[in-house]
Amino acid sequence: MTPTRNTGAPDTDPDQLHDQFNEVWGNPRGWRALTIVNHTSIGLRFLVTGAFFFLVGGLLAMLIRTQLALPGYELMEPDVYNQVFTMHGTVMMFLFAVPMMEGLAVYLIPKMIGARDLVFPRLSALGYYCYLFGGLILLSSIFLDIAPKAGWFMYTPLSSSAHTPGVNSDFWLLGITFVEISAVSAGVELVVSILRTRTNGMALHKMPLYAWYILVMAMMIVVGFPPLILGSILLELERAAGMPFFDVARGGDPVLWQHLFWLFGHPEVYIIFLPGAGIVSTLIPVFCQRPLVGYRWVVLGVLTTGFISFGLWVHHMFTVGIPQLATAFFSAASMLVAIPTGVQIFAWLATLWLGKPVYKVPMLWLVGFLIVFVAGGLTGVMLALVPFDWQVHDTHFVVAHMHYVLVGGMVFPLMAGLYYWLPHFSGRMPSAKLGRWGFWLFFIGFNVTFLIMHWTGLIGMPRRVYTYDTGLGWDMPNLVSSIGSFIMAVGVATILLDIVLHFRFGVPAPKNPWNADTLEWATSLPPSAYNFVSLPDVTDRHPLWKDPDLPDSV
């Protein structure tokens, strides 16, 4: 039997219907589980693997902060330190941030738009295995003591064979190429699925805001990731076959690598941020129990952000000697992108003002996001000004800004979403007490670590140094930052403990436990492989608020 929409046919035995649907949509068991293509399972695999890589990246960060806690301290030799900070950035940017957001989208999008699966389920599975394979290539280099050590941005000529002999950089280039192919695969899958499989009645102007954010993110991936795939292939050809793409002596140009990398790298910042903002736009209405203010303005802001983000990449290169006209253009574009982002922030604040927010654990993470991300955005506008950028370029000020934007714009919303959708994954409600402890430890530790790092950078501490002399004014700020990092690590451990205990002792969740408005809460908890017995008809942007009994009819 091929499942179709509910056409008003006579009632069928539910158990028999479930068995018939499972024959079509269910997952194989045993060793054949490796062949699973169902979006729910693939999305969960992305999320679990991404969480593992987050812990690996966090451990590497703790090694960095331990090394820098005291002047002249040498926990690691310079070569090992270079490998650690290169792998920290690589793991967090390539193996955690984008795959985690894509995995959540793969899991949620069909449920939100009233579909049973994505359009190309085998493409999703291919994307996951490319991600896993690329991640294992990179991770294995740590244990073989041949991890990449030229920075997570792999600038030439430092990463070329003349300055980085051996296979360290080759591991990075090969692993990242597979990870990028995975991202493009998921991007294609999400674009086509959102545009082609929305349930009956769900026109674009009735689509959940999270789906709009993911649509723009996926389109940006399809356009923005191929430049890095091309760059990594060219650099590997130079290293392995002696081709001269980035070698000045033979007519190449090392700045070409920077253009290819940042043509991917700055849109990636918004590829990471937009899904996080989509979570915020989904959760704030639920915890305020009113629609988001300015739906059309927010959609316009998302589309504009995605478009402008492709005109920002050169602001990473203000100090390489590019023409003044170019610096003026990219400086203006870097400030201009604050406008559509501000539209979204004011829509969130207006919804909080007009609603009656309930400060449960997911809402705490949303408030933390608003504080941290706005602070990071303000320092971003500062860095868009060329004279200021020249002064703080390659200092810890930039490190602080980057973490405020990326952790604030991605990790805080992700944690809000994790606690919000935990009943979806497990069928149980999260703990309020441990969840609050985890939030406050993480929030305080994060700000102690990175807020003071702005000052460390302003007084001249450069990035990527493995030690420093005493008497430069950097001793106390670095010690405070390192203490803050350990507080943040305790917060992460508390959250992990909470999640583990949740699956064992959590209270069973009722249907639609948050009184949400989107269709993913119309499924069972946890959902079946086919999501809906009968695909719902949608006549409103908030289907579960218009028809609270919808979960019983689909």
Side-chain angles (χ1 to χ4, degrees):
M1 173 181 176
T2 302
T4 58
R5 295 185 188 276
N6 186 0
T7 58
D11 291 339
T12 308
D13 177 60
D15 293 333
Q16 181 183 2
L17 196 61
H18 175 75
D19 292 340
Q20 291 174 333
F21 274 49
N22 263 336
E23 286 182 18
V24 179
W25 305 101
N27 291 327
R29 298 184 179 275
W31 68 268
R32 294 181 64 238
L34 293 172
T35 66
I36 285 174
V37 296
N38 181 270
H39 77 98
T40 297
S41 299
I42 296 297
L44 289 173
R45 287 179 177 181
F46 267 105
L47 292 172
V48 171
T49 308
F52 169 75
F53 283 123
F54 172 73
L55 296 179
V56 172
L59 290 173
L60 294 171
M62 300 312 297
L63 290 174
I64 294 171
R65 285 313 323 167
T66 304
Q67 172 78 14
L68 296 176
L70 299 171
Y73 185 56
E74 291 196 21
L75 175 69
M76 298 173 279
E77 296 177 354
D79 191 68
V80 175
Y81 181 82
N82 288 341
Q83 293 183 36
V84 167
F85 89 74
T86 298
M87 284 301 295
H88 166 68
T90 299
V91 167
M92 288 303 198
M93 293 295 288
F94 295 100
L95 302 183
F96 165 63
V98 174
M100 200 77 171
M101 288 306 195
E102 283 191 321
L104 186 61
V106 166
Y107 179 91
L108 286 175
I109 284 297
K111 301 172 180 64
M112 276 195 173
I113 63 176
R116 290 202 172 90
D117 208 338
L118 296 168
V119 174
F120 309 118
R122 288 182 177 84
L123 187 61
S124 301
L126 172 67
Y128 172 73
Y129 284 114
C130 284
Y131 163 51
L132 180 63
F133 185 57
L136 291 177
I137 290 174
L138 285 163
L139 199 60
S140 65
S141 67
I142 298 177
F143 298 103
L144 297 174
D145 196 25
I146 48 175
K149 54 185 178 181
W152 67 272
F153 35 76
M154 217 35 76
Y155 276 2
T156 56
L158 178 61
S159 58
S160 300
S161 54
H163 299 282
T164 310
V167 296
N168 302 64
S169 294
D170 300 296
F171 268 81
W172 190 95
L173 293 165
L174 293 174
I176 290 303
T177 300
F178 277 102
V179 173
E180 298 298 290
I181 292 171
S182 164
V184 173
S185 300
V188 171
E189 175 82 284
L190 290 167
V191 169
V192 178
S193 297
I194 292 171
L195 293 178
R196 299 294 297 171
T197 63
R198 300 188 307 278
T199 193
N200 188 43
M202 187 179 282
L204 286 174
H205 67 280
K206 295 178 183 176
M207 195 163 68
L209 276 169
Y210 181 77
W212 271 111
Y213 279 93
I214 295 302
L215 177 62
V216 174
M217 175 206 78
M219 288 179 170
M220 291 173 67
I221 287 174
V222 173
V223 176
F225 278 44
L228 182 59
I229 297 175
L230 172 63
S232 61
I233 292 172
L234 294 181
L235 183 52
E236 183 57 30
L237 286 173
E238 178 178 289
R239 290 178 57 86
M243 295 185 177
F245 298 110
F246 309 106
D247 185 353
V248 176
R250 293 184 291 161
D253 185 1
V255 177
L256 172 62
W257 170 266
Q258 293 193 37
H259 281 296
L260 291 173
F261 184 87
W262 290 117
L263 187 54
F264 140 83
H266 203 84
E268 189 196 26
V269 172
Y270 292 95
I271 288 167
I272 293 169
F273 162 67
L274 286 178
I279 294 172
V280 176
S281 293
T282 301
L283 269 60
I284 282 182
V286 173
F287 289 99
C288 291
Q289 288 297 289
R290 59 149 294 133
L292 189 75
V293 172
Y295 175 96
R296 289 183 175 86
W297 283 103
V298 171
V299 171
L300 181 61
V302 176
L303 294 169
T304 307
T305 300
F307 178 77
I308 296 177
S309 70
F310 282 93
L312 310 183
W313 82 91
V314 177
H315 75 211
H316 294 271
M317 302 164 58
F318 281 159
T319 61
V320 303
I322 58 177
Q324 290 186 354
L325 182 62
T327 60
F329 171 81
F330 286 101
S331 178
S334 301
M335 289 183 277
L336 183 64
V337 77
I339 295 174
T341 305
V343 168
Q344 297 167 66
I345 291 172
F346 281 114
W348 299 327
L349 293 176
T351 307
L352 289 170
W353 180 268
L354 296 173
K356 296 181 179 178
V358 178
Y359 289 95
K360 296 189 178 180
V361 174
M363 193 64 194
L364 290 179
W365 286 99
L366 295 183
V367 173
F369 153 80
L370 289 170
I371 295 170
V372 173
F373 181 76
V374 169
L378 292 174
T379 57
V381 174
M382 295 166 66
L383 288 166
L385 298 169
V386 178
F388 182 80
D389 182 85
W390 282 349
Q391 297 301 312
V392 299
H393 190 76
D394 265 346
T395 70
H396 274 219
F397 187 94
V398 177
V399 178
H401 157 72
M402 182 176 69
H403 282 84
Y404 262 79
V405 171
L406 293 178
V407 177
M410 183 263 178
V411 176
F412 276 83
L414 181 66
M415 294 307 305
L418 174 65
Y419 274 97
Y420 176 72
W421 281 299
L422 261 178
H424 220 283
F425 303 143
S426 66
R428 299 175 181 271
M429 296 299 291
S431 159
K433 184 176 291 186
L434 266 180
R436 289 177 183 273
W437 270 102
F439 165 76
W440 284 112
L441 286 167
F442 189 95
F443 181 78
I444 294 169
F446 173 83
N447 284 286
V448 171
T449 302
F450 294 106
L451 185 61
I452 198 169
M453 206 176 285
H454 293 94
W455 172 249
T456 316
L458 287 172
I459 59 178
M461 183 170 181
R463 301 166 69 181
R464 300 184 288 276
V465 293
Y466 86 103
T467 190
Y468 54 94
D469 294 328
T470 189
L472 298 172
W474 306 343
D475 304 20
M476 184 57 68
N478 273 293
L479 180 60
V480 172
S481 287
S482 294
I483 292 171
S485 70
F486 279 91
I487 296 173
M488 185 165 53
V490 174
V492 173
T494 304
I495 294 165
L496 286 175
L497 176 64
D498 186 19
I499 293 171
V500 171
L501 294 177
H502 155 86
F503 276 90
R504 178 66 179 85
F505 300 107
V507 177
K511 289 183 178 180
N512 195 8
W514 309 109
N515 191 27
D517 59 321
T518 44
L519 283 178
E520 78 273 19
W521 294 106
T523 68
S524 58
L525 301 180
S528 60
Y530 47 84
N531 292 338
F532 307 97
V533 174
S534 57
L535 300 183
D537 291 334
V538 171
T539 59
D540 191 84
R541 287 179 192 153
H542 312 283
L544 294 192
W545 285 349
K546 184 175 183 180
D547 181 9
D549 296 326
L550 188 62
D552 297 320
S553 62
V554 297

